[in-house]
Amino acid sequence: MGPAQGTMGTVLWFTLLWTSGCGHSLAAQVLKRNIYFSCAQRERITLSVPSVTSGREFIWERTSHQHNNKTVKIAVIESSNEKLSWTHIDKFFKNGEDFEISMEPLFQNAGVFSFSQTRPENVLIARYEVFALKVEPPLWSSFSRGADVSASCTVSRLQDSATLRWEKEGPHTSNTTLSHKNAAHIIIHSADEHSEGRYSCSLEQNGLLLHNVSNTLSVRKDTYHTSYNLYRDSSDSTEVVFVCASPSHHRTARWAWVPFFEGKTKTLATVGKEGKVRISTEIDGERFSSDGYDGILFPLRISPVMFQDAGRYSCYVDNSYFSYITLITLQVSAEPPGGLSRNQSVVLNCEISQVIGSVTLAWLRMKGGRGELVKQEVLSEGHPEKMLNLTLPILSRDQLHWACAVFTESMLRTQVPLHLRPLSAQPGWSTETVVRVVIVVLATLGMLKVLMWYCRRRPASEQTSTGTQ
């Protein structure tokens, strides 16, 4: 074989190799796409695939986000003489034009969908990941004035580096947010006319908006024949405002309280015909107060809230029952209370004053606004123990920030933070200060050693100089 023939053979070999590689990459090319939908939308979700001209059998499969990543068959499609025959189609899906399928916007339908050719050979053609977002409650309307509004936004699977975030359009209002598992929770405290507006839950990834769901909150103007529960933690920075608002003017009103821990009814505040508010001497007048009564609105404030303030608060207008509010309090603590050491065990305590219906207490390890579930327990009404304890065998650096959260029917009602400080981090010299002091001491000792060495050598040098003379 001559040089020219060898060169031609090499070029032909590389050409065949390149062509073979390109043909393989084209055959292996798969359509991949992410789709996001809201469970509140009415439109069906449709998955379509590229035109397929060869192959005798195809299959749609789904790996659910909800059911332990179990893969199920949706439909088998046989192609013969350009006609498609669908068999084994799942009842939650419908077939459309060509090879496409459609489904209702249900949370349980989210997952990974694959469309493959199965005969004459197995070839993956398309892969969709479908994400569902749902907001509960789905409708935000007719909430009682003064009540806490709790809502959750859940995504079927939270991708890496993705976040769920609640925002209110317009002026800021008092609220608490918490990210937990695949959900973002929001609590709008003591809702009033300033709380009304549009709230959006946004799913973002690396600063890019993937999908969002919005709801509009409206609040009733009066509290006639309303009742609701408020959850508050007992701390120096917590206050609660009870609202009694009538649809028309009245001359007299009063607030009464039945404590959980005593059971005896107490009068808190009264308004006579002259319109002046009087705080009862039966209670702590420094913590209980009112902004007055204008014939319609009669607020009652407790600041700060204490654990024993739990109970039922009722409003009466012109000596007639009007509405009531149940205050449930929480308190958290750590043992031993005198100081925490990194080498000893720590017990976290979360106590709730009353269980109405069923509640879930949960200890969450906090990382910013995100909570990681460590322990939880469901408490039912009449449960003898109203406390959730968590033992930390050894206190570590990543176990300093905690929150006790209360859920009812998977809705967040409140969260109480608990920040631990080891003895080395308590007021006094910090670790950084101690390190700096050690460095200064070592440097000083080094300088003293050099100075002593210099002083010892100096007389000897002077003696040598004298002898020479």
Side-chain angles (χ1 to χ4, degrees):
M1 179 182 295
Q5 290 177 328
T7 302
M8 287 292 293
T10 303
V11 170
L12 180 61
W13 183 82
F14 275 111
T15 302
L16 291 173
L17 180 64
W18 180 86
T19 304
S20 173
C22 287
H24 177 73
S25 64
L26 289 174
Q29 188 174 7
V30 179
L31 173 65
K32 295 182 179 181
R33 186 176 301 168
N34 290 344
I35 295 177
Y36 304 87
F37 73 88
S38 165
C39 295
Q41 72 184 46
R42 297 181 179 180
E43 302 82 9
R44 296 177 65 89
I45 297 93
T46 300
L47 306 180
S48 57
V49 296
S51 299
V52 180
T53 57
S54 61
R56 297 192 300 274
E57 185 181 78
F58 304 87
I59 187 174
W60 274 106
E61 292 180 307
R62 179 182 64 128
T63 303
S64 174
H65 282 166
Q66 302 299 307
H67 301 98
N68 300 322
N69 294 324
K70 182 180 179 181
T71 300
V72 296
K73 184 186 301 182
I74 297 176
V76 175
I77 311 167
E78 294 184 358
S79 176
S80 177
N81 299 325
E82 299 183 355
K83 291 183 179 181
L84 302 180
S85 175
W86 292 69
T87 56
H88 307 293
I89 183 137
D90 190 286
K91 63 180 180 179
F92 293 105
F93 299 87
K94 292 183 178 180
N95 58 299
E97 297 181 359
D98 295 330
F99 294 93
E100 73 179 17
I101 59 171
S102 66
M103 56 186 169
E104 295 285 344
L106 303 176
F107 193 78
Q108 60 266 29
N109 284 342
V112 178
F113 293 76
S114 62
F115 177 73
S116 306
Q117 173 187 291
T118 54
R119 286 193 300 167
E121 60 181 347
N122 288 320
V123 179
L124 178 62
I125 298 174
R127 180 184 183 276
Y128 293 92
E129 185 157 12
V130 180
F131 298 85
L133 270 78
K134 66 176 178 180
V135 171
E136 296 177 311
L139 298 177
W140 295 17
S141 61
S142 298
F143 280 95
S144 299
R145 183 171 183 171
D148 289 348
V149 178
S150 295
S152 66
C153 176
T154 308
V155 62
S156 55
R157 187 180 78 84
L158 191 64
Q159 302 162 272
D160 293 338
S161 71
T163 57
L164 278 175
R165 184 164 55 96
W166 277 104
E167 280 186 328
K168 179 183 182 290
E169 297 179 10
H172 176 76
T173 187
S174 175
N175 68 69
T176 296
T177 57
L178 169 69
S179 295
H180 173 52
K181 295 183 180 179
N182 293 349
H185 299 269
I186 184 172
I187 306 173
I188 304 163
H189 300 288
S190 302
D192 57 16
E193 64 274 12
H194 302 293
S195 309
E196 294 185 320
R198 195 167 185 83
Y199 292 77
S200 296
C201 174
S202 301
L203 176 63
E204 301 177 353
Q205 187 175 33
N206 299 322
L208 177 66
L209 177 64
L210 302 177
H211 199 71
N212 71 333
V213 183
S214 298
N215 264 349
T216 300
L217 172 64
S218 61
V219 180
R220 285 183 55 181
K221 304 306 179 188
D222 67 87
T223 61
Y224 181 62
H225 276 196
T226 61
S227 63
Y228 50 83
N229 301 332
L230 292 182
Y231 292 82
R232 293 292 185 272
D233 66 293
S234 53
S235 68
D236 294 338
S237 60
T238 304
E239 73 170 27
V240 63
V241 178
F242 303 130
V243 177
C244 182
S246 57
S248 59
H249 280 76
H250 295 268
R251 300 184 66 181
T252 63
R254 67 185 174 93
W255 277 103
W257 171 39
V258 180
F260 284 147
F261 301 107
E262 296 180 22
K264 180 183 177 182
T265 302
K266 296 182 178 182
T267 297
L268 302 177
T270 58
V271 178
K273 295 180 180 179
E274 72 281 2
K276 184 179 180 180
V277 177
R278 291 185 175 86
I279 302 298
S280 173
T281 57
E282 294 184 76
I283 57 173
D284 184 355
E286 294 184 358
R287 294 194 304 113
F288 289 76
S289 63
S290 176
D291 294 336
Y293 180 54
D294 60 3
I296 292 180
L297 185 63
F298 187 19
L300 178 68
R301 175 179 285 102
I302 308 177
S303 179
V305 175
M306 301 182 69
F307 188 70
Q308 60 266 28
D309 293 334
R312 177 169 169 168
Y313 293 77
S314 301
C315 174
Y316 295 84
V317 174
D318 286 347
N319 293 322
S320 298
Y321 165 78
F322 196 81
S323 60
Y324 74 88
I325 301 162
T326 302
L327 176 64
I328 302 170
T329 54
L330 289 97
Q331 60 183 4
V332 296
S333 62
E335 296 179 359
L340 304 177
S341 171
R342 294 185 185 276
N343 297 321
Q344 68 180 121
S345 63
V346 179
V347 180
L348 309 183
N349 304 313
C350 178
E351 184 177 5
I352 187 170
S353 61
Q354 188 74 7
V355 174
I356 297 178
S358 176
V359 301
T360 299
L361 293 183
W363 273 113
L364 307 176
R365 183 165 53 231
M366 301 302 296
K367 297 179 180 180
R370 184 166 189 82
E372 177 186 342
L373 177 64
V374 177
K375 184 179 181 180
Q376 69 177 10
E377 185 173 350
V378 179
L379 305 180
S380 57
E381 197 164 340
H383 198 282
E385 291 292 333
K386 299 181 178 65
M387 183 178 291
L388 177 64
N389 302 322
L390 173 64
T391 300
L392 308 177
I394 298 179
L395 186 62
S396 60
R397 187 181 298 273
D398 63 345
Q399 294 180 331
L400 300 181
H401 303 289
W402 296 86
C404 178
V406 180
F407 295 89
T408 63
E409 298 177 351
S410 76
M411 306 292 287
L412 178 69
R413 301 303 175 181
T414 191
Q415 59 168 331
V416 186
L418 178 62
H419 302 292
L420 306 180
R421 290 193 303 174
L423 288 172
S424 60
Q426 289 182 349
W429 284 13
S430 64
T431 303
E432 184 179 358
T433 302
V434 172
V435 171
R436 289 180 178 178
V437 169
V438 171
I439 292 175
V440 171
V441 170
L442 291 177
T444 303
L445 292 174
M447 292 176 64
L448 288 174
K449 187 175 182 180
V450 172
L451 183 60
M452 292 176 63
W453 175 81
Y454 175 75
C455 291
R456 289 175 180 174
R457 287 183 56 85
R458 186 174 180 180
S461 300
E462 291 177 354
Q463 292 176 4
T464 303
S465 177
T466 303
T468 303
Q469 293 178 351

